[in-house]
Amino acid sequence: MSELVLSEVSAIEAVPAAAWNALVGDDHPFLRHEFLHALEASGAVSPATGWVPRHLTLWQGEALVGVLPHYHKHHSFGEYVFDWGWAEAWERAGGDYYPKGLSAVPFTPAPGPRLALAPHLDPLAARRVLAEAWEESELSSWHLLFAEPPEVEAWQAACPSLLARQGVQFQWQDRGYGDFEGFLAALTAKRRKAIRRERRLVADQGLTLHRLEGEAIDAAAMAHFFRCYEITYLERGRHGYLGLDFFERLRRTLPEALLLIQARRDGIPVAAALCLQGTRTLYGRYWGSEVLADCLHFEACYYQGIEHCLARGLTLFDPGTQGEHKLSRGFAPRRLTSLHHIADPRLRDAVARFCAEERAHVAAYCRAAEAALPYRRE
C-alpha cells in the first residue's frame, strides 16, 4: 500500500460525505458527516463562535482511509470536560493556553468513536502519523474527549505521554428486561412504587406522551421542539448553542437517527425531548417545556427513552451529563476517560498531578454511586 498522507481540512464539506460515512458507519450518529456538517453550515461551529474546524484526514493515494474530527479552540465552552482551571493557571504563569487542539463532537458529551480508520490500516502507525500533527504544531495542547475505552487504550499505546483524566456519566443498560414492567421488576419495591407514582402523576395532569421517529417529525414539530429547547436556556439567561437551522438540517439529512418525544395536553404539544439513536444506543440530548408539570422531565427524558430502547432492541441509553437523580431511576455510573497532550513539560507535570488526585475522587464517587443504585440484590 502507498504511504499515509495526512491532510488538514478547514471544513467538513471539503470531504465527500460518502467517503467519510463509509469509514464511520451508522453506530454513532454524532460522527456522521451530516451531523458535523449541520454544526458548521448552521454557524454553531465556526471561527466566529471559537470553534475553528481543522479536521484531520488520512489518505492513501486517492483513497480516504482515516478521519478524525478536530478543532482549534479559543475557549473551553461546549466541551463538558472542564479545563478552565488549567487555562487560568497557565496564563497566570505567563503562557498562552489558547488556541488548543480538540478532537470531540462539539456540544455533545456522548461517548463514542473519534478516529475512524479503514480496516486494512495499521492503527498504531495511523495514530502516530496523526500525533505528529499536534506534537509539531504551535498549539499548547490537544484533547481527545469522550472516546470509548478501546480507542483510549489504542491512543495510549501509540502515544504513552498522553495524560488520562477520568469523569463519570450515568447510563441505563438493558439486562434482558423484555419490557418496562420487566425493568421495574428488577428494582426494589420502594423504587417501583415511586416510578409508577411519577408516571401516574404525569397522566393525572392531563399530559400524554408521544414518540415520533424519522419522517414523522415534520417542520412544525421541530419548530415547537426548538421553542422548548430555547426556554431551557433562557431560564439561565442565555440562548442555546444550537439554532433552529441546525435542527432543521438534521431533520432533512439525518431523519433515521432522530427520536422526538412530545408531551401533549388536549392534543397540543407543550414539551419535547429530542434524542438521537444509533444501531445500539439511544442518546438523550435536548429538552424543554412550555409548562410547569410535576415529574414531566423524568417521564419525557428517562422513562420514555427506556421504553423506546426496549421496544427497538437498543441495549444502552445515554441520557446526557450530570445528575445523581438518574441513579434512583436505574442509570448506573460509567467512568469515562479523556486524553490530553500538553506541550510544555511544566504545565504537563501540574496537569498530571491534578489528574491523579481527581482519579481517586472519581473512584470513590463511583463506588458510592454503585451502592446507591435501586436494583434488588439477590
Side-chain angles (χ1 to χ4, degrees):
M1 298 297 293
S2 58
E3 180 184 1
L4 278 178
V5 176
L6 174 64
S7 177
E8 184 180 270
V9 298
S10 59
I12 190 72
E13 67 180 1
V15 183
W20 182 287
N21 287 338
L23 292 174
V24 306
D26 299 321
D27 289 347
H28 192 72
F30 305 112
L31 207 62
R32 298 276 298 179
H33 191 280
E34 296 90 340
F35 189 91
L36 298 173
H37 183 265
L39 287 169
E40 294 181 23
S42 67
V45 167
S46 72
T49 62
W51 292 80
V52 183
R54 289 290 185 267
H55 305 301
L56 301 177
T57 61
L58 292 172
W59 299 80
Q60 283 185 325
E62 298 297 316
L64 180 68
V65 295
V67 294
L68 178 68
H70 186 243
Y71 305 89
H72 288 185
K73 285 296 301 297
H74 294 269
H75 53 65
S76 293
F77 290 110
E79 299 174 17
Y80 301 92
V81 175
F82 303 108
D83 63 349
W84 294 104
W86 303 357
E88 291 171 5
W90 190 234
E91 287 167 3
R92 283 198 305 270
D96 292 321
Y97 192 75
Y98 302 109
K100 65 179 183 179
L102 179 76
S103 288
V105 179
F107 319 117
T108 308
R114 294 296 174 258
L115 174 63
L117 298 173
H120 69 272
L121 282 190
D122 178 351
L124 185 64
R127 283 181 171 83
R128 286 178 173 163
V129 169
L130 289 163
E132 292 177 3
W134 56 79
E135 289 175 350
E136 296 177 1
S137 76
E138 296 182 357
L139 298 174
S140 71
S141 53
W142 172 75
H143 309 264
L144 179 74
L145 308 186
F146 297 101
E148 293 175 327
E151 184 168 358
V152 168
E153 294 169 5
W155 276 109
Q156 289 174 318
C159 310
S161 64
L162 289 172
L163 300 176
R165 183 181 185 185
Q166 291 197 336
V168 182
Q169 281 188 352
F170 299 95
Q171 299 181 353
W172 177 89
Q173 190 166 355
D174 184 12
R175 304 290 184 183
Y177 301 126
D179 56 21
F180 199 86
E181 283 300 312
F183 161 61
L184 290 181
L187 304 178
T188 63
K190 180 179 179 180
R191 284 311 306 162
R192 283 199 301 274
K193 181 178 179 180
I195 290 175
R196 286 181 175 134
R197 177 185 174 278
E198 289 175 350
R199 305 197 82 185
R200 187 169 60 249
L201 185 58
V202 171
D204 289 346
Q205 295 170 93
L207 296 162
T208 59
L209 278 295
H210 306 264
R211 296 196 294 268
L212 308 177
E213 294 184 71
E215 302 294 342
I217 305 171
D218 61 17
M222 188 61 82
H224 172 263
F225 154 76
F226 181 71
R227 291 198 301 273
C228 294
Y229 164 82
E230 274 284 89
I231 287 170
T232 299
Y233 283 89
L234 290 173
E235 289 173 347
R236 306 172 197 164
R238 63 185 182 90
H239 291 282
Y241 289 120
L242 306 170
L244 178 58
D245 183 45
F246 165 76
F247 293 109
E248 263 297 300
R249 288 176 181 275
L250 288 189
R251 189 183 70 82
R252 295 194 303 268
T253 64
L254 204 59
E256 68 278 7
L258 299 183
L259 168 68
L260 180 64
I261 299 166
Q262 275 190 347
R264 300 174 188 169
R265 180 175 279 160
D266 298 326
I268 299 173
V270 295
L274 184 64
C275 306
L276 279 86
Q277 54 191 343
T279 56
R280 293 167 293 188
T281 305
L282 179 68
Y283 303 91
R285 300 262 62 89
Y286 320 104
W287 148 262
S289 177
E290 297 173 309
V291 299
L292 294 174
D294 290 340
C295 299
L296 178 56
H297 177 260
F298 303 143
E299 177 65 36
C301 295
Y302 304 147
Y303 305 144
Q304 287 293 316
I306 291 173
E307 281 193 339
H308 180 78
C309 287
L310 291 166
R312 293 289 186 269
L314 303 176
T315 57
L316 191 67
F317 180 19
D318 166 12
T321 60
Q322 304 176 344
E324 285 84 356
H325 58 276
K326 297 185 179 84
L327 278 172
S328 62
R329 293 163 178 88
F331 292 81
R334 175 186 174 185
R335 294 195 204 186
L336 305 175
T337 302
S338 57
L339 295 177
H340 308 271
H341 164 74
I342 308 295
D344 192 287
R346 296 167 296 173
L347 178 60
R348 185 186 186 282
D349 289 346
V351 169
R353 290 193 298 272
F354 172 89
C355 290
E357 294 174 3
E358 187 181 49
R359 191 176 305 120
H361 293 296
V362 168
Y365 179 83
C366 284
R367 289 193 296 270
E370 289 280 357
L373 283 168
Y375 291 100
R376 293 189 292 114
R377 269 70 170 177
E378 297 297 340

